[in-house]
Amino acid sequence: MVKVKDLKWKQDMRVSELVDSYEHIGFQSVELQRASEVIVKMKKDSAKVFLTFTSNMVTSGLRGFFAQLIELGIADVIVTTVGGLEEDIMKATGEDFQIGSFQTDDVELHEKGINRVGNLLIKNESYMNFESLIERILKKLYEKQKHWAVSEMLREIGLMLDDENSILYQAAKNDVPIFCPAITDGAFGFHLYLFQQDHPDFMVDVVKDFGNILFASSFDDRKGVIALGGSISKHHAILSTLLNGGAEYAVYMTTAHRTSGSMSGANTNEAKSWGKVKDESDVATVIGDVSITFPLAMIHALDELAEDGLLESLKRNNEDRGANT
């Protein structure tokens, strides 16, 4: 049993010291500290790490952090939704998003051509610029080949970008596949449809990509899942681990609750009932805003991995892996 201890502030307190203290505070702080330790364990155990996140997290300032984690070799597989990939491309080409308010007059925003994601604001103009860009990208893809698996197409788009803070760019550079099973669920999908009307032999193959994520790990691999938010990105990752024997490590972070019966709210214990997470696995479920909880848990984990000299070796391994492909 761990005793409750009072939190004390000290000048220049590090994030890692704060998160260490969470073990003794109680409630969700305990789960957050545990989540960080599970992430450290999955990396030290050389597990294949599936990092999943929803598009709203790319809308926020977490986008560059995800790109940095890919560069550091934390994630081996990315699963996400298409909105985040659209916005990653927008930001890579200079579009700015603004901080607004949850209480903004949405009718007034609509009249001004501004879209709201929580308290974040995106101009219609940014989407118009994206649509002009994606037409040119699709033409380049079509000239190269006619039939693409989704992850292969996303890698090719990443190679077209030049932004160290881009998820697509870092994933392509470090040979980390990005899977997006609902590729048509956004502006990108609409333009894929339009392009295919003029080019009927152009095919983006979601089913083939399901095979690619299944072969991203094997039954013998140790597997870890870091699922930020819910929806199809979370389920696609843990379904692929189920078909390969289940994950040894799992960290879920979400604002959804298990009482809804939804995939978004399903916790790591519920995943054990399906075999998606192994019975004896190390797990943690943190209920709270991921824009707050994930940086705390992840920075604590990065500090520990760096102190153990593991981050540099992880990076070198990725460079070697890229050189051998």
Side-chain angles (χ1 to χ4, degrees), residues 43-61:
K43 291 309 301 179
K44 288 186 174 179
D45 197 25
S46 300
K48 288 209 167 183
V49 177
F50 292 70
L51 172 63
T52 84
F53 46 84
T54 47
S55 66
N56 55 326
M57 297 171 199
V58 183
T59 316
S60 77

Side-chain angles (χ1 to χ4, degrees), residues 264-285:
S264 296
N267 61 20
T268 44
N269 286 331
E270 189 171 330
K272 289 181 180 179
S273 76
W274 293 86
K276 296 167 182 171
V277 173
K278 289 185 175 178
D279 294 348
E280 67 278 12
S281 59
D282 280 320
V283 298
T285 300

Side-chain angles (χ1 to χ4, degrees), residues 206-221:
V206 176
V207 177
K208 181 183 178 186
D209 222 28
F210 185 56
N212 287 338
I213 194 170
L214 291 180
F215 288 113
S217 63
S218 72
F219 203 87
D220 295 328
D221 284 328

